[in-house]
Amino acid sequence: MAAVTTGHHSSPPLPPQPPLYSFGVPWPDLNEGLLYTDVVRSTGNATTLIEFYSSKYKNSAPLLGWLQRIRNRQITVDGGVVTDPCFALRDGAEVVYHRLPWKEPFAPYLLEVLYEDNDMVAINKPSGLQVLPGGLFQQRTVLMQLQWKEWNKVSSDCSKRQMTQETHPVPVHRLGRGTSGILLCAKTKLAKTRLSAYFANGTAFAGDDGGEMELSKARRISKVYRALVAGVIERDEFVIKQPIGTMHYPGVAKGLYVASSSGKPALSKVQVLERDAQRNQAVVQVEIHSGRPHQIRIHLAFAGHPLIGDPLYDIGGQPKAFEPESSCDCAADDGGYQKPIQAVPGDCGYYLHAYQLFLSHPVTNKRIEITASLPPILQTQEERDQENLQR
C-alpha cells in the first residue's frame, strides 16, 4: 500500500494567480503607545483613582499594576497628571491611561495584492501577521499597513463613487494570526456594507437545514481553505455541523471559542485531497458556510483530526490541558498581567491557508474568483509535480 494516496477530487484545482504587486513598510522598533480615555460616571459613592481602574479594568492589570502605572505618571485627570492613587474623582471627570510605547513581537510586513479595483482589494496575508489591533499587536497589523499605503484609483471611471471612498481599505472579515491567504478589504462604504452582509448572510445560513442547492443560490460569497491535519481520514468527503461557543480560559478575557452544544451554528464541508499514512497526516480542503472565530481549527479537532502544529485545540474541539488561572497578583514590567504560560488563540504553528474566494462583486454583481498560491506543505504531490513541470 502506498504511503501517499489521493482523495476525491470534485474539480481540478484552479491555477494560482500571480500577485499584481506587493507593498509594505518595515515596522518601527517601538510602537507609539496607546491612550485609553474614560469619563467617570458616579454611582453615588465617591470613587478614588485606584478604585476606578482596579475595578473597571481588573482584566487589564492587577491592583499592584495599576498602582505602578499611577505612580509612573501614566494617568491624567482632566488633562493633569495625577500620582496619588487615592485622588477623589468627580462625576464627569476625564481620565486617560497613557500606555507607554513597547516593542511588539516579530511580524512580517509585506503584503501581496491578488485583486484590486475601485471598490475592493484582496491581499495574500502571511502567517504571523494579525489583521486588527489586539493584545501585544497594536501596530504590527494588516490594518496599519493599509493605513500607511497611499491608495490610488485603479481607473478614472468612478468619479461618482469618489465621495464615498474610505480613507483606506478596511478588512471585511478576519483571518487568524497564524492563518495565511486571501483577506478581502473594502475601499468604499458601499462595498464595505455589502461585503459585510455577504459574510453575515453566509453565517446565518449555517444553521439552515435546507438543501445544498438552496444554500449555494443564497450565498454571495464562498471561502475555501487548505489545511494539514493529523490522522489518515477514511472518508473522502464529510460535513461538520457543530455549534461553536465560548468557555472561560486564562489569558482570554472574553472567553475562548470551543466546540459547544449551546453555541452558535457553524458548518464546514471537508474534502480529503491527499493522505500520508507514513506521517499519519492528510491534506484537506475545507469550505466554510459560516465564519465563527477559529471555526476550521475547532471543527477539524472536533472531528478527531486537529491541525498539525496547532498549539491550542485538541481532539474534541477543546483546548489542550491548561493550568487554572493563577491568583498571583504580580505584574509584568508594564504593570499588566504576566503573559499566560498556556497557548492562546493567536499563537501560530499550524498550517491553514485561505486558498480560494468566490464572490459576486458588491457593485457590478460580476462573479469574481480569487486564488492565492499554496505553501508547499499544503500542496498535493500532483500539484507539486505540475509546478515542477512549469518551471
Side-chain angles (χ1 to χ4, degrees), residues 216-259:
S216 61
K217 284 180 181 177
R219 286 161 52 238
R220 306 294 298 275
I221 197 161
S222 179
K223 295 177 287 183
V224 179
Y225 291 72
R226 284 285 181 94
L228 184 67
V229 301
V232 179
I233 307 171
E234 292 184 6
R235 293 172 290 175
D236 283 344
E237 293 182 340
F238 57 99
V239 175
I240 305 171
K241 292 182 178 181
Q242 169 59 38
I244 293 175
T246 58
M247 64 172 284
H248 180 72
Y249 184 83
V252 184
K254 295 181 180 179
L256 177 69
Y257 286 94
V258 295

Side-chain angles (χ1 to χ4, degrees), residues 286-305:
V286 186
E287 182 182 1
I288 59 174
H289 289 194
S290 50
R292 306 297 176 202
H294 318 300
Q295 176 175 323
I296 294 175
R297 296 167 66 187
I298 294 169
H299 267 184
L300 287 168
F302 174 79
H305 301 282

